[in-house]
């Protein structure tokens, strides 16, 4: 009896334990099923949220891209609309400067030219900033003389310095008997920006430019005796649209772009820019350019290779000019005539096409925006038309206010040998013509 009772009690305990385990398992299974359903539901909700968020981000990206395109288009259009009349103003002012004027008229004209140059520099800074931010600047490496570039800048800015009681001194260890291989235009731009920056903040002082050379680089130091800066201000001066002091723009003018552009140019060139400064003692900017000795001592007259050619003669050169703006056409024809060249003017693309079919030219200069045929289409027709075979290989320059980086690249890809960007000064235009004639 006892054994039967013990066995039965054990059996009942085991049955009870098994039933409890089964109930627990069933409960856990139910809980697991419920959690799985909730997880699937949350997963579906999360997937919907991710899809919705992705759509929102995609729309935001499309909106941002559309805004960027609209901004680029607006900037391009505004550049053209501002540059076109400014070309005429700047050109006529340069021509007037060479005429017989009274002292008072010369002074008024100097003010006009200074204002035009300031406006031109602001526009150029904005366009340069755009291309440099995108990393789309194409550096053109040709032999050039750094000493000549710096000396020409000193001569150009000497009147500005004198008007503020300043003097500019250039001390160099460079030998002008050896050319350097680099981008002359960007070298000049950096030094010019540093020089104008020094002049802006210096009154009755000295701006000293030192240039020296090593086997692998050229170092230019621009120092001034101006207002100087605090150490915390030095961290901000290379930022876009930023100046050392919030009152700087009001007191001295400027956009705050010059040094930002210098920094980006030096970075993309593989060089460096450094500044030291003390309040009321002045500032010193050191730019190190990776410019090595050129293999030839001769200038290469190609796009980007020459800027100053004031004594150049265009004697015997015949140029076909397609330009629908009357004032700009007059300025260009006068510049060419002063260098003893001959210009045939066409006031539209169709007229230029006819002239290209009838006479041989040494160079063609086309405006890009014309009411009948634009410059790009005009060049294409001349290059491919049997009627214009005599000029099928004549070098062509785009002379245009449509000067955004992508546009310039398109002109070169379309067959133009180079681009003269409006507005231009006389020496810039003649340099472009020289480059175009050398591109045969």
């Amino acid at each position: 009896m006892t054994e039967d009772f013990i066995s039965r009690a054990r059996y009942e305990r085991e049955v009870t334990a098994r039933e409890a385990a089964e109930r627990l398992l069933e409960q856990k299974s139910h809980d697991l099923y419920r959690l799985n359903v909730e997880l699937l539901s949350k997963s579906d909700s999360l997937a919907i949220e991710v899809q919705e968020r992705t759509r929102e981000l995609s729309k935001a990206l499309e909106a941002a891209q559309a805004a960027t395109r609209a901004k680029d288009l607006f900037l391009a259009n505004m550049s053209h609309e501002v540059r076109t009349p400014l070309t005429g103003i700047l050109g006529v002012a340069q021509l007037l400067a060479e005429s017989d004027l009274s002292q008072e008229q010369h002074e008024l004209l100097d003010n006009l030219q200074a204002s035009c140059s300031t406006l031109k520099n602001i526009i150029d800074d904005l366009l340069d900033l755009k291309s440099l931010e995108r990393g789309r600047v194409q550096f053109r490496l040709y032999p050039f003389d750094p000493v000549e570039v710096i000396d020409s800048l000193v001569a150009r800015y000497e009147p500005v310095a004198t008007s503020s009681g300043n003097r500019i001194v250039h001390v160099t260890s460079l030998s002008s008997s050896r050319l350097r291989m680099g981008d002359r235009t960007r070298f000049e731009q950096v030094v010019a920006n540093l020089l104008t920056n020094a002049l802006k903040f210096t009154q009755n002082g000295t701006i000293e430019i030192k240039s020296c050379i090593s086997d692998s680089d050229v170092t230019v130091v621009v120092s001034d005796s101006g207002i100087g800066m605090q150490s915390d201000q030095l961290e901000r001066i290379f930022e876009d649209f930023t100046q050392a002091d919030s009152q700087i723009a009001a007191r001295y003018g400027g956009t705050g772009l010059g040094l930002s552009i210098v920094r980006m140019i030096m970075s993309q060139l593989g060089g460096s820019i450094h500044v030291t400064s003390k309040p009321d003692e002045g500032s010193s900017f050191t730019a190190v350019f990776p410019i090595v000795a050129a293999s030839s001592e001769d200038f290469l007259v190609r796009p980007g290779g020459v800027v100053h050619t004031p004594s150049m003669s265009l004697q015997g050169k015949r140029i076909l000019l397609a330009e629908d703006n009357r004032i700009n056409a007059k300025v260009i024809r006068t510049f060419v005539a002063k260098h003893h060249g001959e210009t045939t003017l066409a006031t539209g693309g169709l007229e230029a096409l006819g002239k290209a079919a009838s006479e041989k030219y040494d160079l063609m200069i086309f405006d890009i925006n014309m009411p009948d045929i634009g410059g790009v289409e005009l060049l294409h027709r001349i290059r491919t038309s049997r009627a214009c075979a005599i000029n099928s290989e004549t070098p062509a320059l785009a002379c245009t206010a449509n000067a955004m980086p992508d546009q310039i690249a398109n002109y070169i890809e379309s067959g133009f040998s180079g681009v003269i960007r409006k507005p231009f000064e006389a020496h810039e235009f003649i340099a472009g013509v020289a480059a175009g004639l050398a591109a045969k």
Side-chain angles (χ1 to χ4, degrees):
M1 282 296 292
T2 303
E3 291 180 0
D4 290 343
F5 175 78
I6 292 174
S7 297
R8 187 172 182 82
R10 180 181 298 169
Y11 171 75
E12 289 177 351
R13 286 198 304 273
E14 290 178 355
V15 169
T16 301
R18 184 168 59 252
E19 290 175 349
E22 289 175 351
R23 286 194 300 271
L24 180 61
L25 180 59
E26 182 178 1
Q27 180 62 40
K28 293 298 182 182
S29 297
H30 181 269
D31 292 343
L32 184 60
Y33 175 77
R34 179 176 52 80
L35 291 173
N36 189 50
V37 169
E38 291 178 359
L39 182 61
L40 288 174
S41 177
K42 290 181 179 181
S43 177
D44 291 340
S45 299
L46 182 60
I48 293 173
E49 290 179 9
V50 169
Q51 291 176 357
E52 182 63 29
R53 185 58 177 163
T54 301
R55 282 194 294 269
E56 291 175 358
L57 291 175
S58 179
K59 290 180 180 179
L61 178 60
E62 291 175 0
Q65 291 173 337
T68 299
R69 289 192 296 269
K71 182 177 66 175
D72 289 348
L73 180 60
F74 173 79
L75 184 58
N77 290 336
M78 287 304 299
S79 171
H80 177 269
E81 294 304 313
V82 173
R83 282 175 172 274
T84 297
L86 185 57
T87 300
I89 297 171
L90 192 58
V92 171
Q94 291 178 74
L95 296 176
L96 278 175
E98 299 175 9
S99 62
D100 187 15
L101 301 176
S102 67
Q103 180 63 32
E104 182 181 2
Q105 288 171 328
H106 271 297
E107 292 176 358
L108 292 173
L109 185 59
D110 288 342
N111 291 333
L112 175 62
Q113 288 182 298
S115 297
C116 288
S117 296
T118 298
L119 181 56
K120 176 180 178 291
N121 290 337
I122 290 173
I123 296 172
D124 288 342
D125 282 350
L126 289 172
L127 295 178
D128 278 336
L129 180 66
K130 195 70 177 177
S131 58
L132 287 164
E133 283 179 339
R134 295 181 176 183
R136 295 183 179 179
V137 173
Q138 297 295 319
F139 295 107
R140 298 179 176 88
L141 306 182
Y142 296 105
F144 74 96
D145 182 357
V147 173
E148 183 273 331
V149 173
I150 297 174
D151 285 342
S152 67
L153 286 172
V154 171
R156 187 190 308 175
Y157 287 100
E158 192 67 49
V160 178
T162 302
S163 67
S164 300
N166 294 314
R167 68 187 188 103
I168 307 175
V169 179
H170 178 206
V171 180
T172 182
S173 65
L174 297 176
S175 171
S176 59
S177 64
R178 292 299 304 275
L179 302 180
R180 300 289 141 182
M181 181 64 75
D183 190 315
R184 183 196 196 285
T185 300
R186 296 302 176 180
F187 177 85
E188 181 183 44
Q189 184 178 11
V190 168
V191 178
N193 277 2
L194 295 179
L195 180 55
T196 54
N197 184 76
L199 288 169
K200 182 190 299 185
F201 301 115
T202 306
Q203 293 285 330
N204 302 315
T206 299
I207 289 86
E208 182 180 66
I209 305 176
K210 293 181 180 179
S211 52
C212 60
I213 193 169
S214 71
D215 292 337
S216 59
D217 54 49
V218 171
T219 300
V220 178
V221 181
V222 180
S223 303
D224 64 67
S225 56
I227 61 175
M229 292 174 284
Q230 300 282 355
S231 58
D232 61 327
Q233 295 174 322
L234 298 180
E235 301 175 1
R236 304 193 303 271
I237 60 172
F238 291 110
E239 298 176 4
D240 298 346
F241 302 103
T242 300
Q243 295 181 328
D245 188 304
S246 60
Q247 300 300 317
I248 290 295
R251 293 167 57 192
Y252 298 97
T255 60
L257 285 177
L259 294 179
S260 172
I261 289 172
V262 165
R263 174 184 58 79
M264 286 188 280
I265 289 176
M266 296 305 296
S267 175
Q268 293 186 35
L269 276 175
S272 63
I273 181 72
H274 176 68
V275 58
T276 58
S277 185
K278 290 184 178 180
D280 301 321
E281 294 184 18
S283 303
S284 180
F285 289 81
T286 302
V288 181
F289 300 83
I291 300 176
V292 299
S295 59
S296 170
E297 296 186 1
D298 298 321
F299 278 104
L300 297 180
V301 187
R302 297 177 182 171
V306 170
V307 170
H308 299 284
T309 54
S311 61
M312 175 188 175
S313 174
L314 297 176
Q315 185 72 44
K317 300 300 182 183
R318 303 184 72 249
I319 298 174
L320 173 60
L321 171 65
E323 171 63 72
D324 64 318
N325 185 286
R326 180 179 58 84
I327 297 176
N328 290 346
K330 181 176 179 59
V331 168
I332 291 173
R333 296 184 75 181
T334 305
F335 284 167
V336 173
K338 283 181 175 295
H339 290 267
H340 312 293
E342 179 185 343
T343 305
T344 297
L345 175 63
T347 57
L350 287 175
E351 184 182 352
L353 194 62
K355 293 183 181 298
S358 60
E359 297 184 56
K360 178 71 174 73
Y361 295 95
D362 298 291
L363 180 67
M364 301 181 295
I365 302 176
F366 299 156
D367 184 24
I368 294 299
N369 279 359
M370 290 184 286
D372 47 9
I373 301 176
V376 173
E377 177 62 21
L378 173 59
L379 181 61
H380 174 72
R381 293 196 188 187
I382 292 175
R383 293 283 191 252
T384 58
S385 171
R386 289 185 179 181
C388 299
I390 56 175
N391 287 296
S392 62
E393 296 184 3
T394 300
L397 298 176
C399 185
T400 178
N402 290 329
M404 297 297 287
D406 292 344
Q407 294 170 323
I408 292 177
N410 180 58
Y411 306 148
I412 300 301
E413 186 178 344
S414 299
F416 284 97
S417 301
V419 179
I420 300 176
R421 191 167 67 176
K422 297 176 182 177
F424 47 77
E425 296 185 34
H427 67 84
E428 293 172 330
F429 177 81
I430 296 300
V433 170
L437 289 169
K440 289 186 177 181

